[in-house]
Amino acid sequence: MNMIKRIIKVMDIAVFTFTTIAIAGVFYEGMTLKWYNIVGIFVICMDYSFIPTTILHLITDRKEKWYPVHIFSMILIIVAIIMKIADIAYPAITLLAWYFYLWFLYGSILVNRYVGRRR
C-alpha cells in the first residue's frame, strides 16, 4: 500500500501540472484566437491522468477527509462518460468549470499535503 501512496503523490502532481498547463493553453488560445494542437494534448493528458488518480484515491483513501470529494469526482466522471456516449453536447461553461474544479481540487490536495506536514 505504501507503493500505491507514493504513486498517488506523483499522480496528484501530474494532474495538477497538466491541468495548469491546459488552463494556460486554453487561455492563450482565447487570447490569440487560434487553435493549437498541443493544447488538446494537454487536455487529454489532464483528463486521462485524473481518472486513474481518482480511482486510486477511492481505493486507498477511505478514511481520509478527501474521500467524499473523490466520490463526487467519480460521479462527475460517470456523468461525463454517459453524456459522451449519449452524444449530449457539453456547454462551454461546463468545460471551464471542469478545468477549474480539477485545478482547485488537486491544488488543495497538494497544499494540504505539504503545508499540513509542517504543522
Side-chain angles (χ1 to χ4, degrees):
M1 199 61 108
N2 271 343
M3 184 62 158
I4 294 175
K5 292 242 183 214
R6 283 189 216 146
I7 291 170
I8 288 175
K9 287 180 181 183
V10 172
M11 290 178 76
D12 287 344
I13 293 169
V15 172
F16 181 73
T17 303
F18 286 135
T19 305
T20 303
I21 293 170
I23 290 171
V26 169
F27 176 74
Y28 187 72
E29 282 180 341
M31 294 296 290
T32 61
L33 298 176
K34 292 181 183 176
W35 174 254
Y36 299 100
N37 292 333
I38 190 75
V39 176
I41 293 169
F42 287 135
V43 170
I44 290 170
C45 291
M46 174 188 71
D47 286 340
Y48 289 126
S49 63
F50 167 67
I51 293 169
T53 304
T54 300
I55 293 169
L56 285 175
H57 274 292
L58 288 173
I59 293 169
T60 60
D61 295 347
R62 291 191 180 151
K63 295 183 179 172
E64 293 190 20
K65 67 179 181 179
W66 291 102
Y67 193 70
V69 179
H70 294 303
I71 290 173
F72 179 70
S73 295
M74 195 59 175
I75 292 169
L76 288 178
I77 291 169
I78 292 168
V79 167
I81 291 171
I82 290 170
M83 287 179 72
K84 190 71 167 175
I85 291 171
D87 201 27
I88 299 172
Y90 300 100
I93 192 72
T94 306
L95 292 174
L96 180 70
W98 177 258
Y99 295 160
F100 280 102
Y101 170 75
L102 293 179
W103 194 55
F104 285 121
L105 172 62
Y106 283 91
S108 299
I109 289 171
L110 293 175
V111 167
N112 185 46
R113 181 179 302 142
Y114 295 110
V115 172
R117 181 182 294 169
R118 295 180 185 195
R119 288 184 186 176

